[in-house]
Amino acid sequence: MAYDFDLFVIGAGPGGIATARRAAQYGVKVAVAEFDRLGGTSVNRGCIPKKLMVYASRFASHVQEAAGYGWTFEPGKFDWATMIEAVNHEVTRLNGIYQSMIDQAEVALYQGHARLADFHTIDVAGQTVTAEKILIAVGGTPSKPNIPGIDLAITSDQIFSLPQQPKRMVILGGGYIGCEFACVLNALGTEVTQIIRRDNILRGFDQDIRTEVQDAMIRHGIRIVQDELVSLEKHDQGLRVNLKNNTMVLTDVVGLAALGRKPRLDHLGLENTRVEVENGAIVVDAHNQTAESNIYAVGDCTNRIKLTPVAINEGCTFADTHYGGERRVMSRDNIPSAVFTTPEVATVGLTETQAMEKYGEAAIKVYRTRFRPIYYTLPQLEEKTLMKLIVHVQTDKILGAHMVGDSAAEIIQGVAIAVKMGATKAGFDATVGIHPSSAEEFLTLR
Ligand code: NDP
């Protein structure tokens, strides 16, 4: 049977676009459907605008630090509306770049909500089209727990269009998004209370890293409260956040819910196919294939690691396999990630606990250093960097590298290449450092 397209991609986020472009490069006929702006969460409501806000938030401390180097500045003034406008302007520019990437790759774009009518047929933008293969890359949306008044809380989606900077903000959740926005808003002058339900933020990260960054965030002025959210209600002074231990926090109009994300599968027509869904996510095998053999899925709509570069890698692997004659499976070992808090967190490989569980305590050696980077000496600030390596004693291989401190993401990205290639501690020791830098400390751990 002849289909309208060889491949129909639902969702024009980083995963969907990467797949569509790679497939088109191999000469197949590809279409993409998107009901929103091009670029998905990452470009429009996630990684990119968030990182720009992280940069905006760090100027206040840079000014303070500059005094140690002899600079004096007039008291500065921050304008929230200007930042929001600039960030959104950049997002619009990126939407245009995504559009030209699609155009150049000669991928057809359907602007509308796509719904599967059956396993080869898609209803989109008032049309019905058919495709030999379908790739679902619809991403996710913030999830809100079923708590009275939770709709009074905004999510990370809305933070980028808040017309005014909140004077006070309660942030619910101690994950990536909660921690990043707690730091951004705190540094911009908002009074931030972050409510977490465990001892430490950033569950899943190395315990030393969690403690280090949490202590630094508290030192920088964030109030971290360990408690459980019971309800939210309106109050004559804004919003009242009621907590389990009979305490409450009054905040401005907003409380940011950053309590995880869920796949965006509503109205997708999955019931018209054999695609299986488990815990709200599409079930796929190592080849991104669903239970419907011609339908595949990548990125945050599947139950795997929710990171933009992972979605891109999954998509490219799919395209290479099906259209490039290169059957491969994406490697999921040693996927690095960063949390753009201040100070920054970045990590690759196993945490100390994971390594101990996997190999036993005697089989691993942990190297750790904590120091004040040279940059903070003249301003006389007690900002610290923590670095940690987990090494397998028998093979000398680096099992994990973790860092809290300035440029952690940039540094760990380089370390991640070495770890992925099987680097040993002896290899790190034999590498000549770049002096003076913080990164060189990874090479002198004893
Ligand atoms: P996370 O899963 O990272 O964190 C969710 C947080 O909410 C956790 O602290 C969790 O607590 C808490 N939580 C969940 N449910 C409740 C509840 N009912 N009551 C109280 N607390 C609750 O989700 P995020 O929304 O922060 O981010 C979603 C994903 O997006 C991340 O997992 C990450 O993959 C990705 N992301 C990546 C970024 C990056 O690479 N820099 C940046 C932003 C997002 P607990 O830990 O106790 O379960």
Side-chain angles (χ1 to χ4, degrees), residues 50 145 147 172-178 180 197-198 202-203 229 258-261 305-307 337-340:
K50 179 276 311 286
I147 289 170
L172 310 172
Y176 282 78
I177 297 178
E180 290 180 339
R197 62 179 176 182
R198 292 174 205 267
L202 295 177
R203 180 165 59 89
L229 179 66
L259 303 174
R261 296 178 62 84
I305 300 173
K306 293 181 173 60
L307 293 172
S337 85
V339 192
F340 292 99

Side-chain angles (χ1 to χ4, degrees), residues 19-35:
T19 317
R21 289 178 69 212
R22 181 70 65 96
Q25 279 165 12
Y26 289 124
V28 296
K29 197 174 172 200
V30 186
V32 175
E34 175 60 61
F35 71 93

Side-chain angles (χ1 to χ4, degrees), residues 363-418:
I364 62 161
K365 186 156 182 199
V366 177
Y367 296 85
R368 201 185 277 109
T369 182
R370 186 170 182 270
F371 59 95
R372 180 167 71 160
I374 187 172
Y375 173 73
Y376 293 108
T377 54
L378 297 194
Q380 295 179 18
L381 291 169
E382 286 308 312
E383 297 296 334
K384 298 285 197 235
T385 283
L386 175 76
M387 290 173 169
K388 189 167 170 182
L389 281 184
I390 322 289
V391 177
H392 188 240
V393 175
Q394 200 188 351
T395 59
D396 199 38
K397 278 206 172 151
I398 310 282
L399 299 174
H402 311 277
M403 177 174 170
V404 177
D406 292 351
S407 305
E410 307 288 347
I411 292 170
I412 289 289
Q413 180 66 87
V415 171
I417 300 170

Side-chain angles (χ1 to χ4, degrees), residues 206-212 350-353 355-356 361 364-372 384-391 398 400-404 425 428-429 438 440-446:
D206 187 273
Q207 186 56 44
D208 283 342
I209 299 300
R210 298 171 74 189
T211 313
E212 183 72 26
L350 302 182
T351 64
E352 183 176 343
T353 309
M356 278 202 305
E361 201 173 339
I364 62 161
K365 186 156 182 199
V366 177
Y367 296 85
R368 201 185 277 109
T369 182
R370 186 170 182 270
F371 59 95
R372 180 167 71 160
K384 298 285 197 235
T385 283
L386 175 76
M387 290 173 169
K388 189 167 170 182
L389 281 184
I390 322 289
V391 177
I398 310 282
H402 311 277
M403 177 174 170
V404 177
K425 177 71 170 64
F428 269 45
D429 294 346
S438 288
E440 68 176 328
E441 300 295 328
F442 263 126
L443 312 176
T444 55
L445 289 169
R446 283 283 170 269

